[in-house]
């Protein structure tokens, strides 16, 4: 019975969300059903990705988890770009970055720390991740400063955004080459004593390699559909309840879109694989800042109206605070439950602040 409960809920919530969309149910009901469906579909996507990752190895597995974990957010963002809702796109990018660095990483470190007193991972990888996060902050900060000080025009800002986006994409691809190929062994995770015991008793994935890949494709398609239904009701729901685009994009969309990372990272941390959990949480934030956001700039350019990469002061402060505390906590290559609690505390503070905007 328990074995079939999760798949049944996945199918039921997906069908209810589809019914709400095509039959024109109340906007609030549609939003609730779509949000619940995205969470179940993202969980299915996370499980499929974890199964594929088992056959691919930890580093590539962590990359796949981060990539497909961001599938919902990317699809939602593309649909928002198509509708010209650029402020909500930037808010969702902000929410994805701080959500991964504070909420996903915080919950993972906290949950893993409750079970294991100290968890360790590769300190060199932690340092490089921190430097990449700072690169992302610099890239987002510079266009905003130059535009807001009236040093360049709006059209020049769009051109600068395309240049910065191109540089970030090249930097991210170079990072993949560095971490996956040229320095793969250098960045391998450290082994905890308890981890070896855990790994020795770890079960093989539920699905075969072929079935895992098939489910990964199916889950991605389901995410695309549910994301479109969710985006369709964001504007009317935000207007009905008086919520700002900043709050809706940065927290509601980001929390729903991060569901896959939540489940995968927390489960790995509780198995004493904190290195893989950090790889998902931090890697996902890096992917959003260095790849997804720049790609959205180019997508908007090809759609005929370039979205600049200028973020508001509030968004830049939120991202800067998240990067600062996450780098501070992860740079020593060891975590405990209290560090996770600190990350969650910062997330809650930002959440209330964004709600009041």
């Amino acid at each position: 019975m328990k074995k079939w409960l999760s798949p049944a809920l996945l199918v039921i919530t997906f069908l209810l969300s589809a019914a709400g969309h095509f039959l024109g149910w109340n906007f609030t009901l549609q939003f609730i059903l779509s949000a619940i469906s995205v969470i179940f579909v993202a969980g299915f996507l996370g499980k499929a990705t974890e199964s594929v990752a088992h056959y691919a190895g930890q580093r590539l597995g962590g990359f796949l988890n981060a990539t497909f974990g961001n599938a919902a957010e990317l699809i939602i963002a593309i649909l928002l770009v198509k509708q010209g809702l650029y402020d909500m796109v930037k808010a969702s990018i902000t929410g994805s970055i701080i959500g991964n660095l504070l909420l996903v990483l915080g919950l993972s470190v906290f949950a893993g720390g409750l079970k294991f007193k100290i968890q360790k991972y590769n300190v060199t990888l932690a340092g490089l991740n921190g430097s990449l996060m700072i690169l992302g902050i610099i890239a987002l900060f510079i266009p905003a400063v130059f535009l807001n000080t009236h040093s360049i025009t709006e059209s020049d800002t769009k051109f600068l955004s395309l240049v910065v986006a191109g540089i970030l994409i090249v930097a991210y691809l170079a990072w993949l080459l560095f971490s996956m190929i040229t320095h793969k062994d250098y960045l391998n995770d450290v082994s905890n004593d308890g981890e070896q015991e855990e790994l020795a008793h770890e079960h093989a994935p539920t699905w075969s390699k072929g079935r895992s890949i098939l489910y990964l494709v199916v889950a991605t398609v389901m995410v695309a559909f549910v994301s479109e239904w969710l985006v369709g009701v964001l504007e009317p729901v935000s207007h009905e309840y008086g919520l700002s685009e900043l709050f809706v994009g940065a927290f509601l969309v980001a929390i729903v879109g991060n569901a896959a990372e939540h489940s995968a990272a927390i489960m790995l941390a509780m198995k004493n694989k904190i290195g893989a959990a950090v790889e998902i949480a931090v890697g996902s934030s890096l992917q959003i800042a260095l790849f997804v956001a720049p790609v959205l700039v180019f997508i908007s350019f090809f759609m005929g109206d370039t979205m600049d990469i200028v973020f508001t002061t509030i968004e830049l402060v939120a991202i800067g605070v998240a990067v600062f505390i996450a780098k501070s906590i992860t740079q020593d290559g060891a975590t405990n439950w209290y560090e996770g609690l600190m990350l969650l505390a910062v997330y809650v503070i930002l959440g209330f602040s964004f709600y009041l905007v």
Side-chain angles (χ1 to χ4, degrees):
M1 181 67 181
K2 188 178 178 182
K3 180 182 177 183
W4 295 103
L5 181 61
S6 184
L9 288 172
L10 170 69
V11 173
I12 290 169
T13 54
F14 182 80
L15 292 177
L16 283 174
S17 181
H21 173 74
F22 291 110
L23 298 178
W25 292 354
N26 175 271
F27 286 131
T28 302
L29 182 59
Q30 283 190 56
F31 175 80
I32 293 170
L33 289 173
S34 296
I36 293 172
S37 183
V38 166
I39 290 171
F40 277 105
V41 172
F44 174 45
L45 180 66
K47 187 176 179 183
T49 308
E50 189 178 4
S51 186
V52 171
H54 176 86
Y55 297 103
Q58 180 175 297
R59 286 207 51 73
L60 182 56
F63 168 71
L64 289 173
N65 263 308
T67 301
F68 283 94
N70 283 330
E73 293 151 292
L74 178 59
I75 293 167
I76 290 172
I78 290 172
L79 294 170
L80 290 172
V81 166
K82 191 177 179 182
Q83 294 183 20
L85 300 173
Y86 294 157
D87 287 342
M88 197 175 285
V89 173
K90 294 173 192 174
S92 69
I93 291 170
T94 301
S96 296
I97 294 172
I98 65 177
N100 281 299
L101 288 180
L102 300 178
L103 183 61
V104 179
L105 183 60
L107 285 172
S108 302
V109 171
F110 181 75
L114 290 177
K115 192 172 180 182
F116 304 95
K117 193 171 183 179
I118 298 291
Q119 294 183 295
K120 296 181 180 179
Y121 54 96
N122 191 308
V123 68
T124 304
L125 179 60
L128 285 168
N129 280 335
S131 299
L132 281 169
M133 286 190 284
I134 291 173
L135 169 63
I137 284 288
I138 292 170
L140 297 180
F141 182 76
I142 289 175
V145 170
F146 275 79
L147 178 66
N148 292 329
T149 55
H150 307 291
S151 298
I152 56 177
T153 63
E154 190 174 337
S155 60
D156 285 341
T157 302
K158 290 183 177 182
F159 175 71
L160 177 61
S161 296
L162 287 168
V163 172
V164 171
I167 292 170
L168 288 179
I169 290 173
V170 171
Y172 183 70
L173 294 177
W175 164 246
L176 293 183
L177 176 68
F178 177 84
S179 62
M180 300 286 180
I181 300 175
T182 65
H183 288 68
K184 181 180 178 181
D185 296 334
Y186 178 60
L187 299 178
N188 275 344
D189 196 20
V190 299
S191 298
N192 297 316
D193 294 336
E195 184 179 8
Q196 297 305 319
E197 184 180 344
E198 185 75 30
L199 288 171
H201 295 87
E202 188 177 35
H203 296 291
T206 309
W207 305 319
S208 65
K209 186 192 234 179
R211 182 175 289 189
S212 299
I213 295 171
L214 174 64
Y215 285 167
L216 189 60
V217 173
V218 171
T220 305
V221 172
M222 291 176 75
V223 164
F225 277 108
V226 181
S227 298
E228 184 173 4
W229 302 334
L230 181 68
V231 167
V233 294
L234 278 179
E235 268 201 298
V237 167
S238 61
H239 287 313
E240 185 175 345
Y241 293 98
L243 300 173
S244 67
E245 287 189 356
L246 187 62
F247 179 76
V248 171
F251 283 84
L252 296 185
V253 172
I255 288 173
V256 170
N258 279 333
E261 287 103 315
H262 291 173
S263 54
I266 293 168
M267 285 189 292
L268 287 166
M270 293 185 73
K271 291 178 181 177
N272 206 22
K273 300 179 187 175
I274 193 63
V278 171
E279 186 77 11
I280 292 172
V282 177
S284 185
S285 287
L286 291 173
Q287 195 172 73
I288 291 289
L290 304 182
F291 186 75
V292 173
V295 163
L296 289 172
V297 172
F298 280 105
I299 288 173
S300 66
F301 170 74
F302 289 117
M303 286 184 177
D305 184 19
T306 305
M307 177 185 79
D308 62 49
I309 205 166
V310 176
F311 284 67
T312 66
T313 303
I314 295 172
E315 290 167 337
L316 289 173
V317 167
I319 296 173
V321 165
V323 168
F324 175 75
I325 186 71
K327 179 172 169 54
S328 175
I329 282 174
T330 59
Q331 66 185 359
D332 61 350
T335 62
N336 54 68
W337 69 264
Y338 189 69
E339 290 181 332
L341 188 65
M342 286 193 286
L343 291 170
L344 293 173
V346 175
Y347 188 74
V348 172
I349 291 170
L350 288 175
F352 275 104
S353 302
F354 274 56
Y355 178 75
L356 295 173
V357 171

